[in-house]
Amino acid sequence: MKRRAALAATLALGGCSGVQTPLAPVADQAHSQYDLLLLMLWVCGIIYLLVLGFLVLGLWRARGGRAAAVAPLLEPADKRLGRLFAVWVAIIVVGLLLLAGGSFLVERSLAAAQADETLRVRVTAHQYWWRVAYRDPAGGGWVETANELHLPVGRTARIELGSADVIHSFWVPNISGKMDVIPGRANAIDLTPRRLGWFRGQCAEFCGPQHAHMAFDVKVETPAAFAAWLAVEARPARAPGNAEQARGMQVVTQGQCAMCHTVRGTAAAGRNGPDLTHIGSRRSIAAGALSMTRAHLQGWIANPQAIKPGTMMPAVTLSPADADAAAAYLESLK
Amino acid sequence: MTDDDITERARHDRLVAAWRDPPGLWGFLTTVDHKRIAARYIVTTMFLLFLAGMLALDMRLQLSAPDMHRMTPQLYDESFALHGSTMLFLVSVPVMEAMAIWLVPLMLGQRNLAFPRLAAFSYWLYLGGVLMLWIPHLLDVTPDLGWFEYPPLSGPAYSPGHRADVWAQMITFTEVAALAASVNIVATILKLRPPGMTLAKMPLFLWAMLVASLMTIFGLPAVMLATSMLISDRLVSTNFFSPAGGGDVLLFQHIWWFFGHPEVYIIFIPAVGFVSSIVETFSRRPIFGHAAMVLSMLAIGVLAFGLWVHHMFAVGLPRLGNDFYTAASLTIALPAGVQIFCWIATMVGGRPRLSVPMLWVAGFVVTFVIGGLSGVMTASAPLDLQLTDTYFVVAHFHYVLVGGAIFPLLGAFCYWFPKATGRLMSKRLGLVAFALIFGGFNLGFFPMHILGLWGMPRRIYTYGPEMGWGGLNLLATIGAAISVAGGIVFVIDAWRSFRRGAPAGTDPWGGSTLEWATASPPPPYNFDYTPAVDSLTPMWTSELIAYDGLGIDKRELLVTSVADAEPLYRQNSVGPSIWPLLASLGVAVLFVGSIFTPWAIVWGAIPVAIALTFWFWPTRDRATTGPFRKRTP
């Protein structure tokens, strides 16, 4: 156990933040996969050492010099090697049976998680962002957000995956392995997080030029905090708090932004881009490309193609003052 | 005057007159000499290997630090698409066929392949595939979706323009070429074996090439189906892969990987042949467990077609199905483990001599076994969900393909170089090249396992500094650069040795198989007499027995029975012809035209039909029978 922890620490801590690695599992699914990885490393490590040892034995007596000068051994005595061969085959068979058995058990545990019927989350992958929708416990409608998934600790959530365009893959390594998001197919993945914190997910199937910037944040929180967050998300956008934000609201909800984005409670009801109703409360923008700050919002609005060349978001021509106001308004949408 | 009366010198001259090519450019374009065809295959693949290596280095520089901007995402995507497509379709598979085209007739003591013109056709069509990928690259119509292009991303809606078409037709070119080459190799091995070389006495190299070629014949039609369906979707809206039109995007993946997984073994099995030849010669004894080796190759050849789903564990198939493919994938570790054991046991039970080819074998074992074991990890469905599409997989398949195929290939290059050129390579430079390539490769690719476990997905053009991936990526880039330096040393060594290496003589290593019986380099007709075989290691057992009776004033081959290699009849062998080149030009027009209009398949068939008609115009004599007898020295 101690050695396991040490191995995990050595491997995981190198990865700096450790928020996107299967080596620091925080959920049942990732845990069982991690245990299987350790079993694999042991079995494969032992077999590799045996091969290396045997190879050293084979080359030990090797000499330089011309091979042609050495008479070939036409009838070598192979009795002992023959016995060793049988042992070797037995070792491989036992090792493979062990791994196949372990694999089967882990696969079964992944299938066994019973999703809590009330916690179903719809995640729709788009070229290059994630639409996330929860059932509103109060109203029963769908509450939309983007690029951020909140999960209550200790409960199993069933993520229902759909694609709006091409194939993507949903992956939060600390919580579970991948599930591809395939147009025309309804895939689902169960997640049972056991530890609080922020974790990172990323698209794992090449989906176009901005595949590299298609990440999302996952927050595992207490059930109470989760319920509070969802209640806030279900509300319409807050009203602007000052004149600048009011100007920003006008820009966002009556200008080009509204063609693609929704800000619930306003005139903006576009469906092509992420829902912006509570964007100010999110951790990052542009699918994990930038952290949520007013300066980043402004830069992103001014020239998205400079930050994510190939993104579907077009550059919007705004005066510096309007861009500033739009960023101020969006940042205020907590 | 009977043949017995003439001097060896006169006999040689008459054989050369019968088998040589016309001089100059015409000879270059019309040759059907398997050695010349193989040589141009190998030179082409080595040049492309260099280009693909440069692309790799370029991508490594882009990834060497976080947030690099030296490449745009588009350029990066084109680079990995070009690198992967080139390496898989234009280097790895063709170079193995080239080795077979060169070596199989020599190892059989024959004068040419079964279908000499088909071999020429294979090369020209393969060259068409090379130009199909690289000329569009010069015109900025480079494929940009990787070496497999999943729809719908590669479909008409998301990939307008001709990038995906170029990729798909490049595959059609190379696969038709590979099928032609494989049919040729299978026919040659099964029907042109020397008297006495029953299937039970067939060297492992020939078994390897037979199995790999049969796998090619079964596997490659699948990929042509996949890419043809994709082109149909793009060209005439067939909707095979479009869910909106009733198609299924996963259909492409199933067909693709039904080919794609065997593809790995089509590349690896020939390497089994190289390693077996090298280990046998330098351990100074027959390979331990010949039957076990043959059976394990056959087992791999069959199993490889039953585990393609392990490339698709994350697509959401039924879990019990995943478990079945997990078990099937793990099973293949057994024959692979048997092979590794047999090679090392051969060294342990023999009188091993170290040499540059043997070093490559050692490097192969050390590297390939890591790739095999990481393959065992990715074979497990639940674990693969964490590993697939990350750098762990990038590390895995480079360990398998570079460690398992390129290292043996370089060893084979050093091993047979004296036979092909008549000159020895430098031992010192060979050592330096090995150290740099082997060391650089492991330094560069081992850290990628860890990067994958730290969550780095493949096919991303950049990453943020907060991910903590910078250090290992820099190390990987340094390793790749060292490897490339080693490659340059290797090429310099080969070039220098080719120009002025020490003369090699007929048999510099004391080899065990028939190719060492003829001169280095072999004359156009390969063998004066038809050698006969009475063991697995004919060069070691006794005075070589030879048969006489094949024509010396015309091109003839000896056809024998499939299982027992009993001499059946003498077969006329065709001479130089321009029609394979013209036929492949016609096919190229058809293939390229069908990117733009479906009608190209109709009018493009006319020149192909004309070329094939002239190609097969019956001008040859019928096969002759005559005295074929054991030669009395």
Side-chain angles (χ1 to χ4, degrees), chain A residues 11 21 61 63 73 103 178, chain B residues 284 348 354 380 388 453-454:
Chain A
L11 283 171
T21 169
R61 296 170 311 113
R63 301 281 173 273
L73 198 63
S103 211
K178 295 164 202 79
Chain B
R284 313 307 299 153
V348 171
L354 266 190
S380 157
T388 187
L453 291 174
W454 286 355

Side-chain angles (χ1 to χ4, degrees), chain B residues 195-480:
Chain B
M197 189 188 277
T198 61
L199 284 180
K201 285 179 185 157
M202 195 162 93
L204 290 172
F205 176 87
L206 295 171
W207 272 109
M209 288 305 179
L210 179 63
V211 172
S213 302
L214 287 173
M215 290 180 75
T216 308
I217 291 170
F218 283 106
L220 261 48
V223 69
M224 285 175 53
L225 180 65
T227 53
S228 303
M229 287 161 95
L230 180 65
I231 288 190
S232 312
D233 269 13
R234 297 176 55 85
L235 193 65
V236 291
S237 306
T238 42
N239 287 332
F240 287 116
F241 306 128
S242 130
D248 183 1
V249 295
L250 281 191
L251 178 63
F252 180 90
Q253 298 189 18
H254 280 293
I255 306 177
W256 178 267
W257 291 115
F258 181 79
F259 139 84
H261 196 78
E263 161 95 343
V264 178
Y265 294 99
I266 289 169
I267 295 167
F268 169 67
I269 294 277
V272 171
F274 302 153
V275 172
S276 299
S277 292
I278 294 170
V279 167
E280 182 164 82
T281 293
F282 291 102
S283 299
R284 313 307 299 153
R285 55 156 289 174
I287 287 282
F288 172 88
H290 177 86
M293 288 293 276
V294 172
L295 289 175
S296 57
M297 277 193 267
L298 290 171
I300 288 176
V302 174
L303 284 173
F305 286 94
L307 32 78
W308 76 93
V309 172
H310 75 213
H311 296 268
M312 301 169 60
F313 281 150
V315 303
L317 296 173
R319 294 205 185 266
L320 201 60
N322 281 355
D323 283 325
F324 171 81
Y325 284 99
T326 296
S329 309
L330 289 175
T331 311
I332 215 158
L334 186 60
V338 164
Q339 289 169 347
I340 297 283
F341 182 92
C342 289
W343 289 317
I344 303 178
T346 308
M347 298 177 204
V348 171
R351 298 162 173 166
R353 286 293 174 274
L354 266 190
S355 62
V356 176
M358 201 62 163
L359 275 181
W360 283 110
V361 168
F364 151 76
V365 172
V366 170
T367 313
F368 172 70
V369 174
I370 292 182
L373 293 170
S374 61
V376 165
M377 297 189 190
T378 50
S380 157
L383 185 56
D384 186 57
L385 297 179
Q386 288 285 23
L387 302 178
T388 187
D389 276 320
T390 71
Y391 262 78
F392 189 90
V393 168
V394 176
H396 159 68
F397 66 70
H398 281 94
Y399 264 79
V400 171
L401 290 174
V402 177
I406 302 291
F407 284 7
L409 177 72
L410 296 177
F413 192 94
C414 299
Y415 178 62
W416 279 296
F417 185 89
K419 176 52 62 186
T421 64
R423 295 178 186 280
L424 294 169
M425 290 177 80
S426 151
K427 204 165 179 176
R428 187 182 304 161
L429 282 180
L431 203 67
V432 173
F434 169 76
L436 290 176
I437 295 176
F438 173 77
F441 173 82
N442 280 286
L443 185 70
F445 283 82
F446 195 82
M448 291 185 193
H449 292 105
I450 303 169
L451 280 171
L453 291 174
W454 286 355
M456 181 167 169
R458 71 192 275 207
R459 297 180 165 176
I460 55 170
Y461 74 99
T462 191
Y463 52 89
E466 73 281 1
M467 301 311 296
W469 299 332
L472 287 184
N473 269 304
L474 180 61
L475 195 62
T477 304
I478 293 169

